[in-house]
Amino acid sequence: MLIQDLICKKRDGLLLEDEEIEAFVSGITDGSLSEGQIAAFAMATFFTDMEPQECISLTKAMKNSGDTLQWQSLDLPGPVADKHSSGGVGDKASLMLGPMLASCGVFVPMISGRGLGHTGGTLDKLDSIPGYNTLPNNAKFQDVVKSVGCAIVGQTANLAPADKRFYAIRDVTGTVESLPLITASILSKKLSAGLDCLVMDVKTGNGAFANTMERATDLAQRIVSVAGGMGLPTTVLITDMSEVLGPNAGNALEIMETINYLKGTFRDPRLHEVVISLGAELLLLAGTVSTNKEGRDQLNQSLDSGAATERFSKMVSELGGPNDLLEATTKYLPAAQIICPIFPHESGIISEIDVRSVGNTIIELGGGRRVATDTIDFSVGLSEIRGLGDKVDPQTPIAMVHARNQTEADIAIKRVQTAFSLTDSLLTEQAPKQKSVIIEKITAP
């Protein structure tokens, strides 16, 4: 089979056979396909989509390109489950929810990704913690899950290696938003983790890959359908990404916010609702609670008791990070050379935010990748980011920029000023109405 014939077949919208998809994934894994060929296939899929059976075949082939973790031999006293997000700006919910779920008796082997497109990556955030090993071998990964209850890591060389290479190529070739490729990428990783159940956060709004409700619903239904077809019970919550999730965006800044959240120093209400809602759905799906309220109560108790904070600290330590990160956070997390306010040109109420532009600003500051080989500066980003309906003026900043130098700070300031639209504060009837952050729940029929 010539790979160019397979690419042409997909380009022309024809149905690929299971054997053809398996051959394509094998070529990704063994290196016989070039980056150009993989990118061409991704772009062809972006424009012509995939039928459900093609997506199941792609998911299965990428999962089978490596190992599948087995948990039965560890005799864990609880279900193995996970949460995943389709990606957003300022979304650090996974960092909070992993240790909270572990405190509720669920074992969480969370295989996460790096930044993709304009969105931040959980692994890049964790890499801002000195010594933290995001790529342990499978034995270490499973040991930490057993002893701590959760471990947030990346794909090791043996877990869905085809997806790992495909993911990096999609990130820099304009094919991130392909719904079948998003579906297969997410589920191949999750299935290789040997889960009992999964809860997904599919984001919609201008800061999400699924920027319309129609696309978000389509993606959610694909994930539920493909996961169910492969024996993985899954619930999806569609959540709002028309503003940054929490006041910080940037790797070390989001770790700091996570620690403050777990310790109770500050919990952004929208972010807290996302975390609690996703966690309660997963506890229901895992069968450890009988009602949504019971799940929410357990998760809040994990915070109030300090149990989740303790789990996070132990996870960091077990994976090579400092033992006293939570006590001496500023000692370990990198800080930017330049920190300065971003003031609006005029007074008003924030009526719209170009969240994608905000995410791209983080990349331009050095907090994300333009090409796969880029090195990230973990210190840069935005903090104290205002939300929809907030009042700002030339003395009240939209956000604080954290940059490597003044030149990059000035560029970011102009971009953020443009990304935030204001309404005259006197015309209160024009002020934006606060959206519910939880929009819809999608489950298998």
Short mmCIF file of all heavy atoms in Angstrom, two decimals, residues 421-445:
data_model
loop_
_atom_site.label_atom_id
_atom_site.label_comp_id
_atom_site.label_asym_id
_atom_site.label_seq_id
_atom_site.Cartn_x
_atom_site.Cartn_y
_atom_site.Cartn_z
N SER A 421 -13.01 43.54 24.93
CA SER A 421 -13.96 44.57 24.47
C SER A 421 -14.74 45.09 25.67
O SER A 421 -15.15 44.33 26.55
CB SER A 421 -14.93 43.98 23.45
OG SER A 421 -14.22 43.50 22.32
N LEU A 422 -14.97 46.42 25.69
CA LEU A 422 -15.65 47.06 26.80
C LEU A 422 -16.97 47.68 26.36
O LEU A 422 -17.11 48.14 25.21
CB LEU A 422 -14.78 48.15 27.43
CG LEU A 422 -13.37 47.76 27.88
CD1 LEU A 422 -12.69 48.95 28.55
CD2 LEU A 422 -13.41 46.57 28.83
N THR A 423 -17.93 47.69 27.28
CA THR A 423 -19.19 48.39 27.10
C THR A 423 -19.20 49.57 28.06
O THR A 423 -18.67 49.48 29.17
CB THR A 423 -20.37 47.45 27.43
OG1 THR A 423 -20.39 46.40 26.48
CG2 THR A 423 -21.70 48.20 27.35
N ASP A 424 -19.81 50.68 27.65
CA ASP A 424 -19.91 51.86 28.51
C ASP A 424 -20.53 51.46 29.84
O ASP A 424 -21.65 50.94 29.90
CB ASP A 424 -20.79 52.91 27.81
CG ASP A 424 -20.75 54.25 28.56
OD1 ASP A 424 -20.52 54.25 29.78
OD2 ASP A 424 -20.95 55.29 27.91
N SER A 425 -19.83 51.72 30.93
CA SER A 425 -20.31 51.29 32.24
C SER A 425 -21.59 51.98 32.66
O SER A 425 -22.29 51.51 33.56
CB SER A 425 -19.22 51.54 33.30
OG SER A 425 -18.88 52.91 33.35
N LEU A 426 -21.94 53.09 32.03
CA LEU A 426 -23.19 53.78 32.36
C LEU A 426 -24.39 53.06 31.76
O LEU A 426 -25.51 53.19 32.24
CB LEU A 426 -23.14 55.23 31.86
CG LEU A 426 -22.05 56.11 32.49
CD1 LEU A 426 -22.08 57.49 31.86
CD2 LEU A 426 -22.26 56.22 33.99
N LEU A 427 -24.15 52.31 30.68
CA LEU A 427 -25.25 51.61 30.02
C LEU A 427 -25.34 50.20 30.58
O LEU A 427 -24.96 49.22 29.93
CB LEU A 427 -25.03 51.60 28.50
CG LEU A 427 -24.89 52.98 27.85
CD1 LEU A 427 -24.57 52.84 26.36
CD2 LEU A 427 -26.17 53.79 28.02
N THR A 428 -25.81 50.09 31.80
CA THR A 428 -25.77 48.80 32.50
C THR A 428 -26.61 47.74 31.81
O THR A 428 -26.35 46.55 31.93
CB THR A 428 -26.25 48.96 33.95
OG1 THR A 428 -27.54 49.59 33.93
CG2 THR A 428 -25.30 49.82 34.74
N GLU A 429 -27.64 48.17 31.04
CA GLU A 429 -28.46 47.18 30.36
C GLU A 429 -27.68 46.48 29.25
O GLU A 429 -28.07 45.43 28.77
CB GLU A 429 -29.73 47.82 29.79
CG GLU A 429 -29.50 48.80 28.64
CD GLU A 429 -29.15 50.21 29.10
OE1 GLU A 429 -28.97 50.41 30.32
OE2 GLU A 429 -29.08 51.11 28.25
N GLN A 430 -26.56 47.10 28.81
CA GLN A 430 -25.73 46.48 27.78
C GLN A 430 -24.68 45.55 28.38
O GLN A 430 -23.98 44.86 27.65
CB GLN A 430 -25.03 47.55 26.94
CG GLN A 430 -25.97 48.43 26.13
CD GLN A 430 -25.21 49.44 25.29
OE1 GLN A 430 -24.00 49.30 25.09
NE2 GLN A 430 -25.90 50.44 24.78
N ALA A 431 -24.57 45.58 29.69
CA ALA A 431 -23.55 44.75 30.33
C ALA A 431 -23.85 43.27 30.08
O ALA A 431 -25.01 42.86 30.06
CB ALA A 431 -23.51 45.03 31.83
N PRO A 432 -22.81 42.45 29.90
CA PRO A 432 -23.03 41.03 29.61
C PRO A 432 -23.63 40.30 30.79
O PRO A 432 -23.31 40.59 31.95
CB PRO A 432 -21.61 40.52 29.32
CG PRO A 432 -20.71 41.45 30.07
CD PRO A 432 -21.38 42.79 30.01
N LYS A 433 -24.53 39.39 30.52
CA LYS A 433 -25.09 38.54 31.56
C LYS A 433 -24.12 37.39 31.81
O LYS A 433 -23.57 36.81 30.88
CB LYS A 433 -26.45 38.01 31.14
CG LYS A 433 -27.53 39.09 31.03
CD LYS A 433 -28.86 38.48 30.63
CE LYS A 433 -29.97 39.52 30.66
NZ LYS A 433 -29.75 40.63 29.75
N GLN A 434 -23.90 37.07 33.08
CA GLN A 434 -23.00 35.98 33.42
C GLN A 434 -23.55 34.65 32.90
O GLN A 434 -24.70 34.30 33.14
CB GLN A 434 -22.83 35.91 34.94
CG GLN A 434 -21.97 37.02 35.51
CD GLN A 434 -20.50 36.89 35.13
OE1 GLN A 434 -20.01 35.80 34.91
NE2 GLN A 434 -19.81 38.01 35.02
N LYS A 435 -22.72 33.94 32.14
CA LYS A 435 -23.13 32.64 31.61
C LYS A 435 -22.90 31.55 32.65
O LYS A 435 -21.96 31.62 33.43
CB LYS A 435 -22.32 32.31 30.36
CG LYS A 435 -22.53 33.24 29.19
CD LYS A 435 -21.68 32.80 28.00
CE LYS A 435 -21.86 33.73 26.81
NZ LYS A 435 -21.01 33.32 25.67
N SER A 436 -23.77 30.55 32.63
CA SER A 436 -23.52 29.37 33.45
C SER A 436 -22.32 28.64 32.85
O SER A 436 -22.25 28.41 31.64
CB SER A 436 -24.74 28.46 33.46
OG SER A 436 -24.42 27.24 34.10
N VAL A 437 -21.36 28.29 33.69
CA VAL A 437 -20.15 27.65 33.18
C VAL A 437 -20.41 26.20 32.75
O VAL A 437 -19.73 25.66 31.87
CB VAL A 437 -19.00 27.75 34.21
CG1 VAL A 437 -19.28 26.88 35.43
CG2 VAL A 437 -17.65 27.42 33.59
N ILE A 438 -21.40 25.54 33.36
CA ILE A 438 -21.81 24.19 32.96
C ILE A 438 -23.01 24.33 32.02
O ILE A 438 -24.07 24.82 32.42
CB ILE A 438 -22.19 23.31 34.17
CG1 ILE A 438 -21.06 23.33 35.23
CG2 ILE A 438 -22.48 21.89 33.71
CD1 ILE A 438 -19.74 22.80 34.76
N ILE A 439 -22.84 23.90 30.78
CA ILE A 439 -23.86 24.14 29.77
C ILE A 439 -24.75 22.92 29.55
O ILE A 439 -25.98 23.02 29.53
CB ILE A 439 -23.21 24.58 28.44
CG1 ILE A 439 -22.43 25.88 28.66
CG2 ILE A 439 -24.28 24.75 27.35
CD1 ILE A 439 -21.60 26.31 27.45
N GLU A 440 -24.15 21.76 29.39
CA GLU A 440 -24.94 20.56 29.05
C GLU A 440 -24.20 19.30 29.44
O GLU A 440 -22.95 19.27 29.50
CB GLU A 440 -25.25 20.54 27.55
CG GLU A 440 -26.25 19.47 27.14
CD GLU A 440 -26.65 19.57 25.67
OE1 GLU A 440 -26.44 20.64 25.05
OE2 GLU A 440 -27.19 18.58 25.14
N LYS A 441 -24.95 18.25 29.72
CA LYS A 441 -24.40 16.94 30.03
C LYS A 441 -24.77 15.96 28.91
O LYS A 441 -25.93 15.89 28.50
CB LYS A 441 -24.96 16.45 31.37
CG LYS A 441 -24.58 15.03 31.75
CD LYS A 441 -25.19 14.68 33.10
CE LYS A 441 -25.03 13.21 33.47
NZ LYS A 441 -25.62 12.91 34.80
N ILE A 442 -23.77 15.23 28.42
CA ILE A 442 -23.98 14.24 27.36
C ILE A 442 -23.60 12.86 27.88
O ILE A 442 -22.48 12.66 28.38
CB ILE A 442 -23.13 14.57 26.10
CG1 ILE A 442 -23.38 16.00 25.61
CG2 ILE A 442 -23.39 13.54 25.00
CD1 ILE A 442 -24.71 16.24 24.97
N THR A 443 -24.52 11.93 27.77
CA THR A 443 -24.24 10.55 28.19
C THR A 443 -24.65 9.60 27.06
O THR A 443 -25.31 10.00 26.10
CB THR A 443 -25.00 10.19 29.47
OG1 THR A 443 -26.41 10.37 29.23
CG2 THR A 443 -24.58 11.06 30.63
N ALA A 444 -24.28 8.35 27.20
CA ALA A 444 -24.66 7.36 26.20
C ALA A 444 -26.17 7.18 26.23
O ALA A 444 -26.79 7.20 27.31
CB ALA A 444 -23.98 6.02 26.50
N PRO A 445 -26.82 7.01 25.06
CA PRO A 445 -28.27 6.84 25.01
C PRO A 445 -28.69 5.53 25.68
O PRO A 445 -27.93 4.60 25.80
CB PRO A 445 -28.57 6.83 23.51
CG PRO A 445 -27.27 6.48 22.83
CD PRO A 445 -26.19 7.00 23.72
#
